[in-house]
Amino acid sequence: QLQLVESGGGLVQPGGSLSLSCEASGLTFDDYAISWFRQAPGKEREGVSCIGKRGDSTNYADSVKGRFTISRDNAKNTVYLQMNSLKPEDTAVYYCAARSAFFETCVLNAAAMDYWGEGTLVTVST
């Protein structure tokens, strides 16, 4: 069982920045690609960004390209999501999820994930 714990959420003004972390424990972290999803009130969960198990492959939703950056430190069993130029529409609960991966690829498909964290709330507002 892989446990995932998100942190770093909070309240930020439009145009501001936040850095989210997803720390894993329980299994071999670098066997897993990690993805970030978010779910706003009344909306479906959507994929935000993902990173392959070695960190060589990344993918972003069009809505966050150029503003968000995903990275990972396998020595610390942690994936980071740096979020800049935040907009009110970025307000959501952000979840990290893990998918066992043989190749260095990642996907933004919630149904393909093996493990999920509990989420951290990001609120972008004045």
Side-chain angles (χ1 to χ4, degrees), residues 21-75:
S21 298
C22 172
E23 185 171 359
S25 61
L27 291 174
T28 305
F29 182 62
D30 54 7
D31 283 343
Y32 291 85
I34 303 295
S35 302
W36 284 97
F37 294 83
R38 66 186 181 187
Q39 188 165 19
K43 294 188 176 182
E44 293 187 355
R45 191 170 296 191
E46 64 169 339
V48 174
S49 181
C50 65
I51 188 165
K53 61 182 183 177
R54 294 191 303 271
D56 295 333
S57 174
T58 60
N59 193 14
Y60 297 91
D62 288 343
S63 59
V64 306
K65 278 181 182 176
R67 300 189 297 123
F68 290 11
T69 302
I70 192 170
S71 61
R72 68 188 292 162
D73 184 342
N74 284 351

